[in-house]
Amino acid sequence: MSKARLGDWRDQRARMIRGIDELTEYIDPLPRERAFFSHPFEGAVDFAVSSYYLSLIGPKPDDPIRRQCIPSDEERRVLPYESRDPLEDEAHSPLPRLVHRYRDRVLLLVTDECAVYCRHCFRRHLVGGKEGAAGRQGRQGRRGALTKKQAGAAADYLAAHPEVKEAILSGGDPLTLSDERIDELLRTLRSKRADLVLRLATRIPAVLPARITGGLVSVLEEHKPLYVISQFNHPAEMSEESRAALALLADAGLPILNQAVLLRGVNDRVEVLEELFHGLTAQRVFPYYLLQGDLAAGTSHFRVPLSRGLELVRKLRRRLSGLAMPVYALDLPGGGGKIPLTENYFVTDYETGFEPGSSAGRDGESPRGFHFRSLDGTVYFYPEEE
Ligand SMILES: *Cc1c(COP(=O)(O)O)cnc(C)c1O
Ligand code: SF4
């Protein structure tokens, strides 16, 4: 599909595909996709997708783009240990749209609308604009976009909490708002905290790249330091349009970091991840995180066993440079926060004691130290300084 046929981003937003009838004009739905629409259920995540993102879908039924944006009946299955709010954002929410879980960072939920509702979304209790299932039920103070009053309250909160060094604008997708709204919000925050490091978390470069316009970039540029956090999950998302959008951001001196989600049937193969992370690096995007799936209700068909994730990451480390290698991370269920998941390179647990340094002994004496297993499995010794 040509760019001209897709139109500018406002047209694309206005003409989002939101129902099964419209969808069938683009693709032939599979039985599991039809079944999602024919039997509505409580707590289902909204369906909406840009014609751009649909145009990336290939012919195979297990296409990775298709899996990320077309709902499936599998979303109906909720496991006992899954939750609508797996990270307990609500419990760390001093203001309606503000999550303050880490001392020095806050998350601001700017809007509940997205350009595409990702079927694997972890913040599913927060997304789903006007037509959303959750939206219909209504959530106090959470519908639609952040109001001026709420933005002012967030700015006051930041003024009263100088220990907060970073504000992460998330949602939903903040870039579904107009340039004017974004500018106004950033100005409001900046007026109280000129020193604040801003992060803008958005899926837009991957799902609606036409939204990244010169006008938007000039707005963002005015509010540096501002980091853009993208979410590319598969190399097929790195289209010509997406690469152009990333170049606009990078040329303006805005650092771009990517948070990919490890997704079964989408990117859970080492070759796919290697191509993704290398491709991002080549576009001046730093692969920041590879996130293990959260225990969000109805997403079990997307989760990769953690042991398999570790195995993938172990293989990736042998293929990728340090620059292209993300941190594999887990957001602990129940609000424990994010932790890096790394393979243990220590031969013995460093907390429970030192391994006698048999290989490095001198004069019959073994110095204290650590043994490590290298990537190819060889054991090496490093002494502990006295
Ligand atoms: C992920 C997250 C952050 C940011 O964490 P980093 O490790 O700094 O990227 C901040 N607040 C909340 C609530 C989060 O979920
Ligand atoms: S864009 Fe982000 S918030 Fe929106 S559905 Fe996708 S993952 Fe969820």
Side-chain angles (χ1 to χ4, degrees):
M1 201 177 305
S2 79
K3 241 182 179 169
R5 265 191 61 201
L6 293 169
D8 89 350
W9 75 273
R10 284 171 197 283
D11 294 339
Q12 289 194 50
R13 283 277 295 151
R15 292 188 284 103
M16 295 247 285
I17 292 91
R18 293 179 180 275
I20 180 79
D21 295 338
E22 287 170 87
L23 182 61
T24 41
E25 293 170 21
Y26 292 82
I27 61 165
D28 193 12
L30 304 166
R32 63 166 183 267
E33 294 166 349
R34 278 191 188 283
F36 173 90
F37 292 97
S38 53
H39 303 92
F41 59 94
E42 174 85 27
V45 170
D46 211 4
F47 168 64
V49 60
S50 63
S51 49
Y52 163 79
Y53 198 63
L54 276 184
S55 78
L56 300 181
I57 295 181
K60 291 188 187 149
D62 61 349
D63 180 85
I65 304 289
R66 182 176 191 132
R67 201 163 153 76
Q68 290 183 82
C69 68
I70 310 296
S72 151
D73 209 32
E74 294 161 295
E75 293 175 34
R76 216 177 279 278
R77 186 176 64 227
V78 177
L79 302 183
Y81 51 80
E82 289 181 337
S83 148
R84 296 265 302 151
D85 178 15
L87 309 178
E88 296 196 3
D89 286 337
E90 309 268 358
H92 297 84
S93 218
L95 295 176
R97 288 171 172 273
L98 188 142
V99 182
H100 191 178
R101 178 173 339 135
Y102 306 103
R103 186 183 131 83
D104 62 333
R105 283 153 286 174
V106 299
L107 189 69
L108 206 53
L109 306 164
V110 170
T111 171
D112 60 6
E113 286 198 44
C114 304
V116 164
Y117 292 102
C118 312
R119 306 326 300 174
H120 56 268
C121 182
F122 304 154
R123 291 221 145 80
R124 52 214 296 116
H125 61 299
L126 300 174
V127 305
K130 296 182 270 299
E131 343 262 316
R136 272 197 300 275
Q137 290 151 26
R139 291 178 305 267
Q140 263 334 88
R142 276 242 164 94
R143 290 279 320 269
L146 191 83
T147 62
K148 263 187 196 184
K149 209 173 144 192
Q150 288 172 330
D156 289 341
Y157 184 87
L158 290 164
H161 292 268
E163 73 276 16
V164 176
K165 304 296 182 207
E166 287 183 29
I168 304 164
L169 310 187
S170 184
D173 199 316
L175 294 187
T176 55
L177 300 179
S178 68
D179 294 356
E180 294 72 29
R181 291 289 295 277
I182 293 166
D183 191 37
E184 187 182 82
L185 170 62
L186 295 177
R187 257 174 224 294
T188 305
L189 300 177
R190 275 272 175 259
S191 69
K192 294 281 168 75
R193 286 289 304 275
D195 65 312
L196 202 63
V197 173
L198 294 168
R199 272 200 232 180
L200 190 105
T202 175
R203 180 105 161 101
I204 288 267
V207 298
L208 188 67
R211 171 69 187 97
I212 311 295
T213 60
L216 172 70
V217 171
S218 348
V219 167
L220 300 180
E221 261 188 298
E222 269 186 66
H223 301 286
K224 288 176 179 174
L226 185 146
Y227 290 70
V228 175
I229 313 287
S230 61
Q231 185 197 138
F232 284 88
N233 297 324
H234 193 279
E237 294 171 336
M238 307 286 294
S239 68
E240 196 184 315
E241 289 88 343
S242 278
R243 292 198 303 268
L246 293 170
L248 265 181
L249 294 165
D251 287 347
L254 298 165
I256 315 165
L257 290 85
N258 190 70
Q259 293 189 346
V261 185
L262 183 59
L263 297 168
R264 198 206 302 176
V266 174
N267 60 13
D268 58 340
R269 286 193 305 125
V270 70
E271 295 77 16
V272 172
L273 291 172
E274 180 186 9
E275 191 185 338
L276 173 67
F277 297 135
H278 179 71
L280 286 164
T281 308
Q283 301 305 317
R284 292 176 284 172
V285 181
F286 179 66
Y288 175 42
Y289 277 142
L290 172 64
L291 297 167
Q292 171 66 15
D294 290 332
L295 302 177
T299 61
S300 58
H301 55 299
F302 280 117
R303 279 197 302 275
V304 175
L306 200 145
S307 57
R308 221 178 98 62
L310 284 169
E311 180 66 18
L312 282 168
V313 165
R314 192 181 66 83
K315 288 183 179 154
L316 266 186
R317 196 173 292 282
R318 300 181 66 165
R319 294 178 178 226
L320 288 173
S321 74
L323 197 58
M325 184 72 202
V327 171
Y328 180 35
L330 169 66
D331 218 327
L332 292 167
K338 287 191 192 66
I339 54 160
L341 296 170
T342 51
E343 249 212 313
N344 190 7
Y345 296 96
F346 289 90
V347 174
T348 47
D349 185 345
Y350 74 96
E351 302 219 48
T352 57
F354 296 104
E355 175 86 342
S358 51
S359 59
R362 53 182 134 76
D363 304 334
E365 213 182 289
S366 297
R368 296 195 328 149
F370 301 93
H371 279 92
F372 297 99
R373 203 176 307 283
S374 72
L375 294 178
D376 68 9
T378 314
V379 174
Y380 291 86
F381 179 78
Y382 186 92
E384 175 75 345
E385 300 298 337
E386 295 303 327

